[in-house]
Structures are given as C-alpha cells and as structure tokens.
Coordinates of all heavy atoms in Angstrom, one line a residue:
M1 N 114.4 139.0 -91.8 CA 114.1 138.2 -90.6 C 112.9 139.0 -89.9 O 112.9 140.2 -89.7 CB 115.3 138.2 -89.6 CG 115.2 137.3 -88.5 SD 115.3 135.6 -88.8 CE 117.0 135.5 -89.2
L2 N 111.9 138.2 -89.5 CA 110.8 138.8 -88.8 C 110.8 138.2 -87.4 O 111.2 137.2 -87.1 CB 109.5 138.3 -89.5 CG 109.5 138.6 -91.0 CD1 108.2 138.0 -91.6 CD2 109.6 140.1 -91.3
T3 N 110.2 139.1 -86.5 CA 110.2 138.7 -85.1 C 108.7 138.6 -84.7 O 107.9 139.5 -84.9 CB 110.9 139.8 -84.3 OG1 112.2 140.0 -84.8 CG2 111.0 139.3 -82.8
F4 N 108.4 137.6 -83.9 CA 107.1 137.4 -83.4 C 107.3 137.2 -81.9 O 108.0 136.2 -81.5 CB 106.4 136.2 -84.0 CG 105.1 135.8 -83.3 CD1 104.0 136.6 -83.3 CD2 105.2 134.6 -82.6 CE1 102.8 136.2 -82.7 CE2 103.9 134.2 -81.9 CZ 102.8 134.9 -82.0
K5 N 106.8 138.1 -81.1 CA 107.0 138.0 -79.6 C 105.6 137.7 -79.0 O 104.7 138.4 -79.3 CB 107.6 139.3 -79.0 CG 109.0 139.7 -79.6 CD 109.4 141.0 -78.9 CE 110.7 141.5 -79.5 NZ 111.0 142.9 -79.0
V6 N 105.7 136.7 -78.1 CA 104.5 136.5 -77.3 C 105.0 136.1 -75.9 O 105.8 135.4 -75.7 CB 103.6 135.4 -78.0 CG1 104.4 134.0 -78.1 CG2 102.4 135.1 -77.2
A7 N 104.3 136.8 -74.9 CA 104.7 136.6 -73.6 C 106.1 137.0 -73.4 O 106.5 138.0 -74.0 CB 104.4 135.3 -73.1
E8 N 107.0 136.2 -72.9 CA 108.5 136.5 -72.9 C 109.2 135.7 -73.9 O 110.5 135.6 -73.9 CB 109.0 136.2 -71.4 CG 108.3 137.0 -70.4 CD 108.5 138.5 -70.5 OE1 109.6 138.9 -71.0 OE2 107.6 139.2 -70.3
L9 N 108.4 135.2 -74.9 CA 109.1 134.3 -75.9 C 109.2 135.2 -77.2 O 108.4 136.0 -77.5 CB 108.2 133.1 -76.3 CG 107.8 132.3 -75.0 CD1 106.7 131.3 -75.4 CD2 109.0 131.5 -74.5
E10 N 110.3 134.9 -77.9 CA 110.6 135.6 -79.2 C 110.9 134.6 -80.2 O 111.8 133.7 -80.0 CB 111.7 136.6 -78.9 CG 112.0 137.5 -80.1 CD 113.0 138.7 -79.8 OE1 113.4 138.7 -78.6 OE2 113.3 139.5 -80.7
F11 N 110.4 134.7 -81.3 CA 110.6 133.8 -82.4 C 111.0 134.6 -83.6 O 110.4 135.7 -84.0 CB 109.3 133.0 -82.8 CG 108.7 132.3 -81.6 CD1 107.7 132.8 -80.9 CD2 109.2 131.1 -81.2 CE1 107.1 132.2 -79.7 CE2 108.7 130.4 -80.1 CZ 107.7 131.1 -79.4
F12 N 111.9 134.0 -84.4 CA 112.3 134.7 -85.7 C 111.7 133.7 -86.8 O 112.0 132.5 -86.8 CB 113.8 134.7 -85.8 CG 114.4 135.6 -84.8 CD1 115.0 135.1 -83.6 CD2 114.5 137.0 -85.0 CE1 115.5 135.9 -82.6 CE2 115.0 137.8 -84.0 CZ 115.6 137.2 -82.9
V13 N 110.8 134.3 -87.5 CA 110.1 133.5 -88.5 C 110.1 134.1 -89.9 O 110.5 135.2 -90.1 CB 108.6 133.4 -88.1 CG1 108.4 132.8 -86.6 CG2 108.0 134.7 -88.0
E14 N 109.8 133.2 -90.9 CA 109.8 133.6 -92.2 C 108.5 134.5 -92.5 O 107.5 134.2 -91.9 CB 109.6 132.3 -93.1 CG 110.8 131.3 -93.0 CD 112.0 131.8 -93.7 OE1 111.9 132.6 -94.7 OE2 113.1 131.5 -93.3
H15 N 108.6 135.4 -93.5 CA 107.5 136.1 -93.9 C 106.4 135.3 -94.3 O 106.6 134.3 -95.1 CB 108.0 137.1 -95.1 CG 106.9 138.0 -95.6 ND1 106.0 137.6 -96.5 CD2 106.7 139.3 -95.3 CE1 105.2 138.6 -96.8 NE2 105.6 139.7 -96.1
G16 N 105.2 135.6 -93.8 CA 104.0 134.8 -94.3 C 103.8 133.6 -93.3 O 102.8 132.8 -93.5
T17 N 104.6 133.4 -92.3 CA 104.3 132.4 -91.3 C 103.0 132.6 -90.5 O 102.8 133.9 -90.2 CB 105.5 132.2 -90.4 OG1 106.6 131.9 -91.1 CG2 105.2 131.0 -89.3
T18 N 102.1 131.7 -90.3 CA 101.0 132.0 -89.5 C 101.3 131.8 -88.1 O 102.2 131.0 -87.7 CB 99.8 131.0 -89.9 OG1 100.1 129.7 -89.6 CG2 99.5 131.1 -91.4
I19 N 100.5 132.5 -87.2 CA 100.7 132.3 -85.8 C 100.4 130.9 -85.4 O 101.1 130.3 -84.5 CB 99.9 133.3 -85.0 CG1 100.4 134.7 -85.2 CG2 99.8 132.9 -83.5 CD1 99.7 135.7 -84.5
Q20 N 99.4 130.2 -86.1 CA 99.2 128.8 -85.8 C 100.4 127.9 -86.1 O 100.6 127.0 -85.3 CB 98.1 128.4 -86.7 CG 96.7 128.7 -86.2 CD 95.6 127.8 -86.9 OE1 95.6 126.6 -86.6 NE2 94.7 128.4 -87.6
Q21 N 101.1 128.1 -87.1 CA 102.3 127.4 -87.5 C 103.4 127.6 -86.4 O 104.0 126.6 -86.0 CB 102.9 127.9 -88.8 CG 102.1 127.5 -90.0 CD 102.6 128.0 -91.3 OE1 102.9 129.3 -91.4 NE2 102.7 127.2 -92.3
I22 N 103.5 128.8 -85.9 CA 104.5 129.1 -84.9 C 104.1 128.3 -83.6 O 104.9 127.7 -83.0 CB 104.6 130.6 -84.5 CG1 105.1 131.4 -85.8 CG2 105.5 130.8 -83.3 CD1 104.8 132.8 -85.7
C23 N 102.9 128.3 -83.3 CA 102.4 127.7 -82.0 C 102.4 126.2 -82.1 O 102.5 125.5 -81.1 CB 100.9 128.2 -81.7 SG 101.0 129.9 -81.2
A24 N 102.3 125.7 -83.3 CA 102.3 124.3 -83.5 C 103.8 123.7 -83.3 O 104.0 122.6 -82.9 CB 101.8 123.8 -84.9
Q25 N 104.7 124.6 -83.6 CA 106.1 124.2 -83.5 C 106.7 124.5 -82.1 O 107.7 123.8 -81.7 CB 106.9 125.0 -84.6 CG 108.3 124.5 -84.8 CD 108.9 125.2 -86.0 OE1 108.3 126.0 -86.7 NE2 110.2 124.9 -86.2
Y26 N 106.2 125.5 -81.4 CA 106.7 125.8 -80.2 C 105.6 125.9 -79.1 O 104.5 126.1 -79.4 CB 107.4 127.3 -80.3 CG 108.5 127.4 -81.3 CD1 108.2 127.9 -82.5 CD2 109.8 126.9 -81.0 CE1 109.3 128.0 -83.5 CE2 110.7 127.0 -82.0 CZ 110.5 127.5 -83.2 OH 111.5 127.6 -84.2
D27 N 106.1 125.8 -77.8 CA 105.1 125.9 -76.8 C 104.9 127.4 -76.4 O 105.8 128.1 -76.0 CB 105.7 125.2 -75.5 CG 104.7 125.1 -74.4 OD1 103.5 125.1 -74.6 OD2 105.1 124.9 -73.2
T28 N 103.7 127.8 -76.7 CA 103.4 129.2 -76.5 C 102.0 129.2 -75.6 O 101.3 128.2 -75.5 CB 103.0 130.0 -77.7 OG1 101.8 129.6 -78.2 CG2 104.1 129.7 -78.7
P29 N 101.7 130.4 -74.9 CA 100.5 130.4 -74.1 C 99.2 130.6 -74.9 O 98.2 130.7 -74.2 CB 100.8 131.5 -73.2 CG 101.8 132.4 -73.9 CD 102.5 131.5 -74.8
I30 N 99.3 130.6 -76.1 CA 98.1 130.9 -76.9 C 97.2 129.6 -77.0 O 97.7 128.5 -77.3 CB 98.3 131.4 -78.4 CG1 99.2 132.7 -78.3 CG2 97.0 131.5 -79.2 CD1 99.6 133.2 -79.7
I31 N 96.0 129.7 -76.6 CA 95.0 128.6 -76.6 C 94.1 128.7 -77.8 O 93.6 129.6 -78.1 CB 94.2 128.6 -75.3 CG1 95.1 128.5 -74.1 CG2 93.2 127.5 -75.3 CD1 94.3 128.7 -72.8
F32 N 94.2 127.5 -78.6 CA 93.4 127.4 -79.7 C 92.2 126.5 -79.5 O 92.3 125.5 -78.7 CB 94.1 126.9 -80.9 CG 95.2 127.9 -81.4 CD1 96.5 127.7 -81.0 CD2 94.9 128.9 -82.2 CE1 97.5 128.6 -81.4 CE2 95.8 129.8 -82.6 CZ 97.2 129.6 -82.2
G33 N 91.0 126.8 -80.2 CA 89.9 125.8 -80.1 C 89.5 125.4 -81.5 O 90.3 124.5 -82.0
C34 N 88.7 126.1 -82.2 CA 88.3 125.7 -83.6 C 89.4 125.9 -84.6 O 89.4 125.2 -85.6 CB 87.0 126.5 -83.9 SG 87.4 128.3 -84.2
R35 N 90.3 126.8 -84.5 CA 91.2 127.2 -85.5 C 90.6 127.7 -86.7 O 91.2 127.6 -87.9 CB 92.2 126.0 -85.7 CG 93.0 125.6 -84.5 CD 93.9 124.5 -84.7 NE 94.5 124.0 -83.5 CZ 95.7 124.4 -83.0 NH1 96.4 125.2 -83.7 NH2 96.2 123.9 -81.9
A36 N 89.5 128.1 -86.6 CA 88.7 128.6 -87.9 C 87.8 129.8 -87.8 O 86.8 129.9 -88.4 CB 87.8 127.4 -88.4
A37 N 88.3 130.7 -86.9 CA 87.5 131.9 -86.6 C 86.0 131.7 -86.3 O 85.2 132.4 -86.8 CB 87.7 132.9 -87.8
K38 N 85.8 130.8 -85.3 CA 84.4 130.6 -85.0 C 84.3 130.7 -83.4 O 83.2 131.1 -82.9 CB 84.0 129.2 -85.4 CG 83.9 129.0 -86.9 CD 83.5 127.6 -87.2 CE 83.3 127.5 -88.7 NZ 83.0 126.2 -89.2
C39 N 85.3 130.3 -82.6 CA 85.1 130.2 -81.2 C 85.6 131.3 -80.4 O 85.2 131.6 -79.3 CB 85.7 128.9 -80.6 SG 87.5 128.9 -80.6
G40 N 86.6 132.0 -80.9 CA 87.2 133.1 -80.2 C 88.2 132.8 -79.1 O 88.7 133.8 -78.4
A41 N 88.5 131.5 -78.9 CA 89.4 131.1 -77.8 C 90.8 131.7 -78.0 O 91.5 131.8 -77.0 CB 89.5 129.6 -77.8
C42 N 91.2 132.0 -79.2 CA 92.6 132.3 -79.5 C 92.8 133.9 -79.5 O 93.7 134.4 -80.0 CB 93.0 131.8 -80.8 SG 92.2 132.4 -82.2
I43 N 91.9 134.6 -79.0 CA 91.9 136.1 -79.0 C 93.2 136.6 -78.3 O 93.5 136.1 -77.1 CB 90.7 136.7 -78.4 CG1 90.6 138.3 -78.8 CG2 90.5 136.5 -77.0 CD1 89.3 139.0 -78.6
V44 N 93.9 137.5 -78.9 CA 95.1 138.1 -78.4 C 95.1 139.6 -78.5 O 94.4 140.1 -79.4 CB 96.4 137.5 -79.0 CG1 96.5 136.0 -78.7 CG2 96.4 137.7 -80.6
R45 N 95.9 140.3 -77.8 CA 96.1 141.7 -78.0 C 97.4 141.9 -78.8 O 98.4 141.4 -78.4 CB 96.1 142.5 -76.7 CG 96.2 144.0 -76.8 CD 96.3 144.6 -75.4 NE 95.2 144.3 -74.6 CZ 94.0 145.0 -74.7 NH1 93.8 146.0 -75.5 NH2 92.9 144.7 -73.9
I46 N 97.3 142.8 -79.8 CA 98.5 143.1 -80.5 C 99.2 144.4 -79.9 O 98.5 145.4 -80.0 CB 98.2 143.3 -82.0 CG1 97.4 142.2 -82.6 CG2 99.5 143.5 -82.8 CD1 98.1 140.8 -82.4
L47 N 100.3 144.2 -79.2 CA 100.9 145.3 -78.5 C 101.6 146.2 -79.5 O 101.7 147.4 -79.2 CB 101.8 144.8 -77.4 CG 101.2 144.0 -76.3 CD1 102.2 143.6 -75.3 CD2 100.1 144.8 -75.6
D48 N 102.2 145.6 -80.5 CA 102.9 146.4 -81.4 C 103.0 145.6 -82.8 O 103.1 144.4 -82.8 CB 104.3 146.6 -80.9 CG 105.1 147.7 -81.7 OD1 104.5 148.7 -82.2 OD2 106.3 147.6 -81.8
G49 N 103.0 146.4 -83.9 CA 103.1 145.8 -85.2 C 101.9 145.3 -85.8 O 101.9 144.4 -86.7
G50 N 100.8 145.7 -85.4 CA 99.5 145.3 -86.0 C 99.4 145.4 -87.5 O 98.9 144.6 -88.1
K51 N 100.1 146.4 -88.0 CA 100.1 146.6 -89.4 C 101.0 145.5 -90.1 O 100.9 145.3 -91.4 CB 100.6 148.0 -89.8 CG 102.1 148.1 -89.4 CD 102.5 149.5 -89.8 CE 104.0 149.7 -89.6 NZ 104.7 149.2 -88.4
N52 N 101.6 144.8 -89.3 CA 102.5 143.6 -89.8 C 101.8 142.3 -89.8 O 102.5 141.3 -89.9 CB 103.8 143.6 -89.2 CG 104.7 144.8 -89.4 OD1 104.6 145.4 -90.5 ND2 105.4 145.3 -88.4
L53 N 100.5 142.3 -89.7 CA 99.7 141.1 -89.7 C 98.9 141.1 -90.9 O 98.5 142.2 -91.4 CB 98.8 140.9 -88.5 CG 99.6 140.6 -87.1 CD1 98.6 140.7 -86.0 CD2 100.2 139.3 -87.1
G54 N 98.6 139.9 -91.5 CA 97.6 139.9 -92.6 C 96.3 140.6 -92.2 O 96.0 140.7 -91.0
S55 N 95.5 140.9 -93.2 CA 94.3 141.6 -93.0 C 93.2 140.8 -92.3 O 93.3 139.5 -92.3 CB 93.7 142.2 -94.3 OG 93.5 141.2 -95.2
I56 N 92.2 141.4 -91.7 CA 91.2 140.7 -91.0 C 90.1 140.3 -92.1 O 89.6 141.2 -92.8 CB 90.6 141.7 -89.9 CG1 91.5 142.1 -88.9 CG2 89.4 141.0 -89.2 CD1 91.1 143.1 -87.9
G57 N 89.8 139.1 -92.0 CA 88.8 138.5 -93.0 C 87.4 138.7 -92.3 O 87.2 139.1 -91.1
T58 N 86.4 138.4 -93.1 CA 85.0 138.7 -92.6 C 84.6 137.7 -91.4 O 83.9 138.2 -90.5 CB 84.0 138.5 -93.8 OG1 84.2 137.2 -94.4 CG2 84.2 139.5 -94.8
C59 N 85.1 136.5 -91.5 CA 84.8 135.6 -90.4 C 85.5 136.1 -89.1 O 84.8 136.0 -88.0 CB 85.2 134.1 -90.7 SG 84.2 133.5 -92.1
E60 N 86.7 136.5 -89.2 CA 87.4 136.9 -88.0 C 86.8 138.2 -87.5 O 86.5 138.3 -86.2 CB 88.9 137.2 -88.3 CG 89.6 137.8 -87.0 CD 91.1 138.1 -87.3 OE1 91.6 138.0 -88.5 OE2 91.8 138.5 -86.4
Q61 N 86.4 139.1 -88.3 CA 85.8 140.3 -87.8 C 84.5 140.1 -87.2 O 84.1 140.7 -86.2 CB 85.6 141.3 -89.1 CG 85.1 142.7 -88.6 CD 86.1 143.4 -87.7 OE1 87.2 143.6 -88.0 NE2 85.7 143.7 -86.4
A62 N 83.7 139.1 -87.7 CA 82.4 138.8 -87.1 C 82.6 138.3 -85.7 O 81.8 138.7 -84.7 CB 81.7 137.7 -88.0
V63 N 83.6 137.4 -85.5 CA 83.8 136.9 -84.1 C 84.3 138.0 -83.1 O 83.8 138.2 -82.1 CB 84.8 135.8 -84.2 CG1 85.2 135.3 -82.7 CG2 84.2 134.6 -84.9
L64 N 85.2 138.9 -83.7 CA 85.7 140.1 -82.9 C 84.5 140.9 -82.5 O 84.5 141.4 -81.4 CB 86.8 140.8 -83.7 CG 88.1 140.1 -83.9 CD1 88.9 140.8 -84.8 CD2 88.7 139.8 -82.5
D65 N 83.6 141.1 -83.4 CA 82.4 142.0 -83.1 C 81.5 141.3 -82.1 O 81.1 142.0 -81.1 CB 81.6 142.2 -84.4 CG 82.3 143.1 -85.4 OD1 83.2 143.8 -85.0 OD2 81.9 143.1 -86.6
I66 N 81.4 140.0 -82.2 CA 80.5 139.3 -81.1 C 81.2 139.4 -79.7 O 80.5 139.6 -78.8 CB 80.4 137.8 -81.5 CG1 79.5 137.7 -82.7 CG2 79.8 137.0 -80.3 CD1 79.4 136.3 -83.4
L67 N 82.5 139.3 -79.8 CA 83.2 139.4 -78.5 C 83.4 140.8 -78.0 O 84.0 141.1 -76.9 CB 84.6 138.8 -78.6 CG 84.7 137.2 -79.0 CD1 86.1 136.8 -79.2 CD2 84.0 136.5 -77.8
A68 N 82.9 141.9 -78.8 CA 83.1 143.2 -78.5 C 84.6 143.6 -78.2 O 85.0 144.3 -77.3 CB 82.3 143.6 -77.3
A69 N 85.4 143.0 -79.1 CA 86.9 143.1 -79.0 C 87.4 144.6 -79.2 O 86.7 145.3 -80.0 CB 87.6 142.2 -79.9
E70 N 88.4 144.9 -78.6 CA 89.0 146.2 -78.8 C 89.7 146.2 -80.2 O 90.0 145.1 -80.7 CB 90.1 146.6 -77.7 CG 89.4 146.6 -76.3 CD 88.5 147.9 -76.2 OE1 88.9 148.9 -76.7 OE2 87.6 147.7 -75.4
P71 N 90.0 147.4 -80.7 CA 90.6 147.4 -82.1 C 92.0 146.7 -82.2 O 92.4 146.3 -83.2 CB 90.8 148.9 -82.4 CG 89.7 149.6 -81.5 CD 89.7 148.7 -80.3
D72 N 92.7 146.6 -81.1 CA 94.0 145.9 -81.0 C 93.9 144.4 -80.8 O 94.9 143.8 -80.6 CB 94.9 146.6 -80.0 CG 94.4 146.6 -78.6 OD1 93.2 146.2 -78.4 OD2 95.1 147.1 -77.7
H73 N 92.7 143.8 -80.8 CA 92.6 142.4 -80.6 C 92.6 141.8 -82.0 O 92.0 142.3 -83.0 CB 91.3 142.0 -79.8 CG 91.5 142.3 -78.3 ND1 91.0 143.4 -77.7 CD2 92.1 141.5 -77.4 CE1 91.3 143.3 -76.4 NE2 92.0 142.2 -76.2
R74 N 93.1 140.6 -82.1 CA 93.0 139.7 -83.2 C 92.8 138.2 -82.8 O 93.0 137.9 -81.6 CB 94.3 139.7 -84.0 CG 94.6 141.1 -84.7 CD 93.6 141.4 -85.9 NE 93.6 140.4 -87.0 CZ 94.3 140.4 -88.0 NH1 95.2 141.4 -88.2 NH2 94.2 139.4 -88.9
L75 N 92.3 137.5 -83.7 CA 92.2 136.0 -83.5 C 93.6 135.4 -84.0 O 93.8 135.4 -85.2 CB 91.1 135.4 -84.2 CG 89.6 136.0 -83.8 CD1 88.6 135.3 -84.6 CD2 89.4 135.8 -82.3
A76 N 94.3 134.9 -83.1 CA 95.6 134.3 -83.5 C 95.5 133.3 -84.5 O 96.4 133.1 -85.4 CB 96.3 133.8 -82.3
C77 N 94.4 132.5 -84.6 CA 94.3 131.4 -85.6 C 94.2 132.0 -87.0 O 94.3 131.2 -88.0 CB 93.1 130.5 -85.2 SG 91.5 131.2 -85.5
Q78 N 94.0 133.2 -87.1 CA 93.7 133.9 -88.4 C 94.8 134.8 -88.9 O 94.8 135.3 -89.9 CB 92.4 134.7 -88.4 CG 91.2 133.8 -88.1 CD 91.0 132.7 -89.1 OE1 90.8 132.9 -90.3 NE2 91.0 131.4 -88.5
C79 N 95.9 134.9 -88.1 CA 96.9 135.8 -88.3 C 98.1 135.3 -89.0 O 98.7 134.3 -88.6 CB 97.4 136.5 -87.0 SG 96.2 137.5 -86.2
T80 N 98.5 136.0 -90.1 CA 99.7 135.7 -90.7 C 100.7 136.8 -90.4 O 100.4 138.0 -90.4 CB 99.5 135.7 -92.3 OG1 98.6 134.7 -92.6 CG2 100.8 135.4 -93.0
V81 N 102.0 136.4 -90.1 CA 103.0 137.4 -89.7 C 103.7 137.9 -90.9 O 104.4 137.1 -91.7 CB 103.9 136.7 -88.7 CG1 105.1 137.7 -88.2 CG2 103.3 136.2 -87.5
L82 N 103.7 139.2 -91.1 CA 104.4 139.8 -92.3 C 105.5 140.8 -91.9 O 106.1 141.4 -92.7 CB 103.3 140.6 -93.1 CG 102.1 139.7 -93.5 CD1 101.0 140.6 -94.2 CD2 102.5 138.6 -94.4
G83 N 105.8 140.9 -90.6 CA 106.8 141.8 -90.0 C 106.9 141.7 -88.5 O 106.3 140.7 -88.0
D84 N 107.5 142.6 -87.9 CA 107.7 142.5 -86.5 C 106.3 142.7 -85.8 O 105.6 143.6 -86.1 CB 108.7 143.6 -85.9 CG 110.1 143.2 -86.4 OD1 110.4 142.1 -86.9 OD2 110.9 144.2 -86.3
V85 N 106.0 141.8 -85.0 CA 104.8 141.8 -84.2 C 105.0 141.4 -82.7 O 105.7 140.5 -82.4 CB 103.8 140.8 -84.8 CG1 102.5 140.8 -84.0 CG2 103.5 141.2 -86.3
T86 N 104.4 142.1 -81.8 CA 104.4 141.8 -80.4 C 103.0 141.5 -79.9 O 102.1 142.3 -80.1 CB 105.0 142.9 -79.6 OG1 106.3 143.2 -80.0 CG2 105.1 142.5 -78.1
V87 N 102.8 140.3 -79.3 CA 101.4 139.9 -78.9 C 101.4 139.6 -77.4 O 102.4 139.1 -76.9 CB 101.2 138.5 -79.7 CG1 99.9 137.9 -79.2 CG2 101.1 138.7 -81.2
E88 N 100.3 140.0 -76.9 CA 100.0 139.7 -75.4 C 98.9 138.7 -75.4 O 97.9 138.9 -76.1 CB 99.6 141.0 -74.7 CG 99.3 140.8 -73.2 CD 98.7 142.1 -72.6 OE1 97.6 142.6 -72.9 OE2 99.6 142.7 -71.9
V89 N 99.0 137.7 -74.6 CA 98.0 136.7 -74.4 C 97.3 136.9 -73.0 O 98.0 137.1 -72.1 CB 98.7 135.3 -74.5 CG1 97.6 134.2 -74.4 CG2 99.4 135.2 -75.8
G90 N 96.0 136.7 -73.0 CA 95.2 136.8 -71.8 C 94.8 138.1 -71.4 O 95.0 139.1 -72.0
Ligands
FES101 S1 90.8 129.1 -82.3 FE1 88.6 129.4 -82.5 S2 88.6 131.5 -83.3 FE2 90.7 131.0 -83.2

C-alpha cells in the first residue's frame, strides 16, 4: 500500500499510479495546465519521499530549470508514485 498525501488529504494508491491519475479521480488543490511538462502550473514541493517518485525526465528538468525551482520541487503532471510521498501545494 502506498500513501500519497497532499494538503490535508491522504490517498492510498497502487504502485505506479501517476499524480495526474490521483487528481483526476479526487478533488485536490493541484492545478494542471498543459499536463505535458511545458507550462509549470503544476509545480509542487515534495516534503517527504522524493525518492519514491519516478525519475525526472529531460522535459521536466528543463521547466524546473526555467522556473529556478528548488531541488525539492517537481512537476506533478510528470510524477509517478512508487512509495510514500508527501506533497505541498502552493
Ligand atoms: S501541467 Fe503544465 S507542466 Fe504540469
């Protein structure tokens, strides 16, 4: 069982579930735009469990670089949940 926490919400999800899938199924505060690592609208801070997300692809890294994101930021539209993860939005 994997846990994905965002804001005060907690979800138990299958290994390999994407954050986009979770947000499509439940009402979460994560805002999506392009859903393709282009706009940066979905940037979130990973409070815990960053190692439990899928790796950062070149497109995601390029947008994070443009946004001068901190190392604990990810684009939610590109993240796959592989273990316990805690996310902060905003
Ligand atoms: S929704 Fe545009 S980068 Fe994630």
Side-chain angles (χ1 to χ4, degrees):
M1 188 77 71
L2 307 175
T3 308
F4 170 69
K5 296 178 185 174
V6 57
E8 298 302 318
L9 306 169
E10 185 171 2
F11 306 96
F12 298 97
V13 300
E14 298 285 331
H15 182 275
T17 302
T18 66
I19 292 180
Q20 279 199 66
Q21 289 173 314
I22 298 164
C23 294
Q25 191 170 359
Y26 302 99
D27 186 22
T28 75
I30 298 176
I31 297 170
F32 293 98
C34 67
R35 299 177 186 266
K38 294 181 179 175
C39 72
C42 65
I43 193 168
V44 295
R45 181 181 304 276
I46 308 303
L47 297 180
D48 194 31
K51 67 182 185 314
N52 294 327
L53 290 173
S55 59
I56 300 176
T58 54
C59 293
E60 179 180 4
Q61 188 61 61
V63 173
L64 292 171
D65 290 345
I66 290 168
L67 296 173
E70 299 291 327
D72 59 354
H73 281 99
R74 293 289 305 265
L75 298 179
C77 72
Q78 301 301 299
C79 292
T80 300
V81 180
L82 305 174
D84 292 345
V85 178
T86 304
V87 174
E88 178 183 73
V89 181

